[in-house]
């Protein structure tokens, strides 16, 4: 009987993992207690969260001097959020690791709980590393924090078809949390209890590198994994070479093991059109690898290809984890020194230009992308062109990649920092605390201070909610004026290691600024009005009393046809000049200051 090449590949993948696992297990009498359901099933199934709870305890029991099982939070549905701390250095607390300058790496699985490769690959890699059958000696030079499942409530929403664009395992969890948050859009706004707990863990341990393990969606092709790292195209300029070094070393290791890795996200420029090519980009701070770069740390996004079977994806994810551990063992001390130096530079950004967003130019390079033969024909179901792939016929797609990334929005950091109005201070103080950002409450407020304020000239609200927020876009410029801020207002200094994150939170031109997430929407809603008949009387009084105003009004009527045809705009022209006009309307309740408040 003839066996298809694909089936043979699947069987070989299972065999490869089984051999690795059995070899590793032979070194420990507790082998059955440290294996996953996935491993025992030949990487066809994945276990439920009670298995994570049991394995966390069993690893600590088996390796009491090298592993700690910790709970770092609770989910909305009451489940414990667990992490395994592993190291041969003797530093199993954050304080010990920091005092001894030991690099910390965070390996995170299941942020999207249907994409669960990282959990099963991580447990396998952890056991092998502890046994020194893989990444030999790596734990002598670092602390590993392994979070098997980030989105735990989503993980327990188990089902066979939760990932219709993915091959295996037989059942898996759900993409979003019990509150329907996508955790990989939540790093800045930190709405979810899960993210708030994760940020607390991150603030405590300050990982040098965070590896976020995913499975992509998309078309069918031969490439099996993408590795993206920042800083490479963004963040502190002196960190970018080491970020590229980490990325390229992992890609090299994976290629040596038979994978076909690439350094960009493999999503077509035009959906379902292979010949449209690809474009690289810089992630915004709502994403994991766009967030950590603002903390002067390394963020890696790992995306295995969803159409590879589960044994293959677990093997490749396992290989990635082992490669990262080896790289941190080799270079972690040096990279940690570079990161600490970047912290010091970040504390001196006052008055300097900072890039807050990036763009990809139209410049392209050719890419020989390994896909499959395909045809595009009209669908009788959707009526659109649909692509159908023939996985028995590998084919090279000669396409292009846009990979030249340049600054898009550049801002000037404030000389001293930002001030937050007392009315919003409690909510913003909570957010700053969650991110580990330094700030100070102004007990006496500020009286007649010369500070920079921004009043929006144009405000646009999104029509639909996104991640529980009505997003906002504003346009306007900063100008210096005298303002009084009430006691309880906040001062957020720019002279701190997380200054890039501070700017991201408060600069409206930054993609994930809190104002853009709708945190200050009330400030841009008009709540008091003048009746039309009253405005009419006010207008006549103003025109009679001020010839200059009359001339300005007449000129506006003559030069602006839309204004002339709009009765509301014409009356507003006068209402805005009346003492009843709301001076705070469209005023951004965050200010810039050149002086540190006393």
């Amino acid at each position: 009987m003839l066996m298809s090449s694909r089936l043979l590949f699947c069987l070989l993948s299972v065999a490869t993992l089984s051999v690795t696992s059995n070899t590793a297990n032979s070194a420990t009498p507790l082998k059955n207690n440290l294996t996953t359901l996935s491993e025992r099933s030949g990487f066809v199934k994945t276990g439920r969260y009670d298995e994570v709870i049991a394995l966390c305890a069993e690893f600590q029991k088996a390796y009491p001097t090298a592993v700690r099982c910790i709970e770092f939070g609770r989910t909305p549905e009451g489940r414990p959020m667990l992490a395994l701390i592993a190291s041969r250095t003797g530093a199993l607390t954050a304080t010990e690791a920091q005092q001894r300058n030991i690099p910390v790496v965070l390996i995170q699985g299941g942020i999207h709980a249907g994409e669960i490769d990282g959990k099963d690959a991580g447990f396998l890699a952890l056991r092998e590393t502890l046994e020194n059958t893989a990444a030999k000696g790596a734990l002598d030079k670092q602390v590993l924090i392994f979070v098997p499942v980030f989105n735990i409530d989503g993980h327990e929403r188990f089902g066979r078809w939760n990932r219709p664009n993915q091959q295996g395992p037989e059942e898996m969890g759900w993409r979003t949390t019990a509150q329907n948050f996508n955790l990989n859009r939540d790093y800045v706004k930190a709405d979810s209890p899960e993210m708030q707990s994760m940020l607390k863990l991150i603030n405590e341990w300050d990982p040098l590198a965070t590896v976020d393990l995913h499975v992509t969606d998309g078309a069918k092709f031969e490439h099996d994994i993408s590795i993206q790292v920042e800083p490479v195209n963004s963040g502190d300029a002196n960190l970018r070479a080491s970020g590229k070094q980490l990325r390229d070393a992992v890609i090299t290791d994976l290629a040596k093991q038979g994978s076909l890795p690439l350094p960009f996200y493999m999503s077509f420029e035009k959906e379902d059109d292979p010949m449209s090519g690809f474009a690289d980009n810089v992630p915004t701070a709502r994403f994991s690898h766009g967030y950590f770069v603002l903390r002067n740390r390394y963020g890696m996004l790992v995306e295995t290809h969803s159409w590879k079977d589960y044994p293959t994806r677990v093997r490749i994810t396992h290989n990635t984890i082992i490669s990262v551990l080896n790289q941190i063992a080799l270079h972690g001390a040096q990279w940690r020194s570079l990161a600490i130096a970047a912290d010091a530079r970040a504390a001196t950004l006052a008055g300097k230009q900072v890039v807050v967003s990036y763009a990809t130019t139209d410049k392209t390079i050719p890419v020989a992308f390994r896909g499959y033969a395909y045809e595009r024909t009209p669908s009788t179901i959707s009526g659109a062109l649909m692509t159908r792939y023939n996985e028995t016929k590998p084919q090279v797609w000669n396409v292009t990649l846009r990979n030249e990334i340049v600054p898009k929005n550049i801002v000037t950091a404030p000389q001293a920092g930002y001030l937050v109005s007392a009315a919003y201070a409690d909510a913003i103080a909570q957010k700053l605390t969650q991110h580990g950002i330094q700030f100070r409450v102004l007990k006496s407020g500020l009286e007649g201070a010369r500070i920079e304020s921004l009043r929006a000239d144009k405000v646009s609200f999104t029509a639909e909610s996104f991640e529980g927020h009505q997003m906002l876009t504003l346009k306007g410029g900063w100008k210096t004026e005298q303002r009084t801020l009430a006691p309880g207002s906040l001062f957020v200094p720019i002279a701190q290691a997380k200054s890039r994150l501070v700017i991201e939170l408060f600069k409206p031109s930054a993609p994930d600024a809190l104002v853009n997430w709708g945190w200050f929407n009330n400030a841009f809603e008009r709540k008091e009005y003048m009746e039309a008949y009253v405005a009419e009387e006010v207008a006549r009084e103003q025109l009679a009393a001020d010839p200059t105003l009359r001339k300005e009004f007449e000129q506006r009527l003559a030069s602006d046809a839309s204004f002339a045809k709009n009765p509301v705009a014409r009356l507003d022209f006068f209402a805005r000049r009346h003492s009843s006009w709301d001076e705070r309307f469209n005023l951004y309740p965050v200010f810039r200051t050149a002086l540190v408040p006393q």
Side-chain angles (χ1 to χ4, degrees):
M1 179 178 176
L2 293 177
M3 183 180 295
S4 72
S5 59
R6 180 171 179 174
L7 178 56
L8 178 60
F9 184 68
C10 292
L11 292 174
L12 287 173
S13 300
V14 174
T16 300
L17 277 169
S18 298
V19 168
T20 303
S21 304
N22 290 337
T23 301
N25 286 339
S26 65
T28 173
L30 296 168
K31 61 181 181 180
N32 292 328
N33 293 340
L34 301 183
T35 61
T36 60
L37 170 66
S38 182
E39 185 176 354
R40 296 191 298 274
S41 72
F43 299 94
V44 174
K45 303 175 183 290
T46 192
R48 302 295 292 266
Y49 194 67
D50 57 359
E51 176 182 70
V52 173
I53 296 173
L55 281 171
C56 196
E58 288 295 336
F59 268 95
Q60 177 173 298
K61 179 180 177 181
Y63 297 97
T65 63
V67 177
R68 288 288 181 272
C69 174
I70 66 167
E71 178 179 336
F72 64 94
R74 285 268 161 169
T75 71
E77 292 185 340
R79 297 183 176 92
M81 300 181 70
L82 300 181
L84 293 94
I85 313 298
S87 182
R88 297 285 192 190
T89 65
L92 293 177
T93 68
T95 300
E96 290 174 308
Q98 289 160 10
Q99 287 176 346
R100 295 171 54 189
N101 296 317
I102 299 172
V104 177
V105 60
L106 169 60
I107 305 290
Q108 175 180 284
I111 189 172
H112 295 152
E115 306 166 23
I116 203 57
D117 309 15
K119 176 189 69 174
D120 294 320
F123 275 121
L124 176 60
L126 175 61
R127 191 184 72 231
E128 292 178 344
T129 304
L130 287 165
E131 294 169 351
N132 267 330
T133 58
K136 293 181 180 180
L139 291 181
D140 297 339
K141 299 180 179 180
Q142 66 192 294
V143 177
L144 165 63
I145 305 175
F146 173 44
V147 176
V149 184
F150 186 2
N151 175 16
I152 298 161
D153 290 344
H155 183 277
E156 291 305 278
R157 190 176 168 184
F158 228 53
R160 285 184 174 271
W161 292 103
N162 286 349
R163 289 277 292 165
N165 307 312
Q166 177 178 297
Q167 289 203 62
E170 286 183 355
E171 295 179 285
M172 72 287 289
W174 193 256
R175 180 179 183 84
T176 56
T177 70
Q179 296 175 332
N180 207 32
F181 284 117
N182 181 340
L183 291 177
N184 205 28
R185 306 294 184 272
D186 200 33
Y187 274 88
V188 169
K189 60 185 180 65
D191 286 328
S192 66
E194 293 94 334
M195 184 59 72
Q196 292 169 14
S197 294
M198 178 61 75
L199 290 176
K200 187 176 180 180
L201 181 73
I202 289 164
N203 290 333
E204 180 184 3
W205 282 91
D206 188 22
L208 173 67
T210 298
V211 182
D212 192 12
L213 302 171
H214 288 252
V215 182
T216 186
D217 289 318
K220 295 182 178 181
F221 41 72
E222 289 193 292
H223 293 279
D224 49 19
I225 190 170
S226 65
I227 304 292
Q228 294 173 273
V229 172
E230 290 297 339
V232 168
N233 296 302
S234 66
D236 184 281
N238 291 355
L239 277 184
R240 297 182 188 185
S242 55
K244 186 175 186 297
Q245 182 184 10
L246 170 61
R247 182 197 69 185
D248 292 351
V250 173
I251 286 176
T252 297
D253 285 347
L254 291 172
K256 288 177 180 177
Q257 294 167 309
S259 283
L260 296 172
L262 286 172
F264 58 88
Y265 190 80
M266 292 175 277
S267 179
F268 302 142
E269 286 251 53
K270 296 180 181 178
E271 186 175 355
D272 201 38
D273 183 359
M275 298 314 294
S276 65
F278 305 93
D280 201 0
N281 65 2
V282 168
T284 65
R286 70 188 64 173
F287 300 99
S288 60
H289 61 314
Y291 174 76
F292 288 99
V293 65
L294 299 182
R295 298 174 69 116
N296 308 310
R297 301 297 183 264
Y298 304 91
M300 175 183 288
L301 176 69
V302 177
E303 294 271 4
T304 55
H305 187 222
S306 61
W307 290 109
K308 300 298 183 285
D309 60 73
Y310 196 54
T312 301
R313 297 203 318 271
V314 172
R315 172 174 55 80
I316 297 167
T317 304
H318 159 274
N319 292 345
T320 302
I321 295 169
I322 296 300
S323 176
V324 169
L325 294 177
N326 281 328
Q327 295 307 315
I328 297 297
L330 286 171
H331 306 290
Q334 176 194 1
W335 292 345
R336 189 177 188 279
S337 295
L338 292 174
I340 298 302
D343 287 347
R345 285 190 296 274
T348 67
L349 285 180
K352 296 179 182 178
Q353 291 192 321
V354 179
V355 181
V356 295
S357 66
Y358 296 81
T360 307
T361 72
D362 291 332
K363 185 178 179 180
T364 63
I365 60 171
V367 174
F369 191 86
R370 291 177 58 170
Y372 296 109
Y374 67 91
E375 60 179 10
R376 302 194 77 209
T377 56
S379 167
T380 58
I381 304 299
S382 68
L385 279 176
M386 297 299 293
T387 304
R388 295 168 179 83
Y389 299 92
N390 185 344
E391 294 176 77
T392 67
K393 294 182 179 180
Q395 183 182 81
V396 174
W397 300 339
N398 291 305
V399 295
T400 59
L401 167 68
R402 293 193 298 118
N403 69 340
E404 183 183 59
I405 295 172
V406 297
K408 181 181 179 181
N409 285 321
I410 302 174
V411 303
T412 301
Q415 289 289 349
Y418 291 95
L419 298 163
V420 180
S421 167
Y424 295 87
D426 285 349
I428 300 305
Q430 290 179 27
K431 201 56 50 186
L432 295 172
T433 301
Q434 288 162 7
H435 289 288
I437 290 172
Q438 300 169 23
F439 66 94
R440 177 161 54 90
V441 178
L442 302 180
K443 295 181 180 180
S444 300
L446 291 175
E447 185 72 30
R450 290 190 61 78
I451 57 179
E452 291 181 79
S453 63
L454 186 153
R455 194 179 301 277
D457 300 320
K458 183 178 180 181
V459 176
S460 301
F461 296 94
T462 56
E464 296 182 357
S465 171
F466 175 65
E467 287 294 310
H469 291 260
Q470 184 182 27
M471 307 290 280
L472 176 146
T473 302
L474 64 83
K475 293 183 179 180
W478 296 89
K479 71 173 185 178
T480 301
E481 60 184 15
Q482 280 194 331
R483 300 201 69 86
T484 294
L485 296 182
S489 297
L490 305 181
F491 169 62
V492 187
I494 204 69
Q496 59 178 299
K498 297 186 181 75
S499 61
R500 294 179 190 276
L501 183 54
V502 170
I503 293 169
E504 180 73 27
L505 292 177
F506 292 129
K507 189 67 176 177
S509 56
D512 283 313
L514 294 177
V515 66
N516 297 334
W517 277 105
W519 277 75
F520 304 101
N521 278 5
N522 259 354
F524 305 98
E525 297 174 7
R526 187 174 172 185
K527 302 296 176 75
E528 185 60 84
Y529 296 86
M530 184 181 290
E531 296 286 356
Y533 70 89
V534 176
E536 186 86 18
E537 294 176 5
V538 166
R540 295 186 187 283
E541 291 174 359
Q542 290 178 349
L543 289 172
D546 190 343
T548 303
L549 179 64
R550 176 181 290 277
K551 184 177 180 180
E552 182 182 347
F553 179 62
E554 291 171 349
Q555 288 176 342
R556 181 80 181 273
L557 289 173
S559 63
D560 188 341
S562 61
F563 173 77
K565 296 177 182 178
N566 188 333
V568 174
R570 289 171 64 159
L571 290 177
D572 265 359
F573 178 90
F574 300 99
R576 288 173 180 270
R577 290 160 171 80
H578 192 262
S579 59
S580 65
W581 182 256
D582 182 6
E583 184 272 337
R584 297 183 184 180
F585 176 54
N586 278 349
L587 180 67
Y588 181 35
V590 176
F591 308 91
R592 292 160 50 102
T593 177
L595 299 174
V596 175
Q598 298 302 313

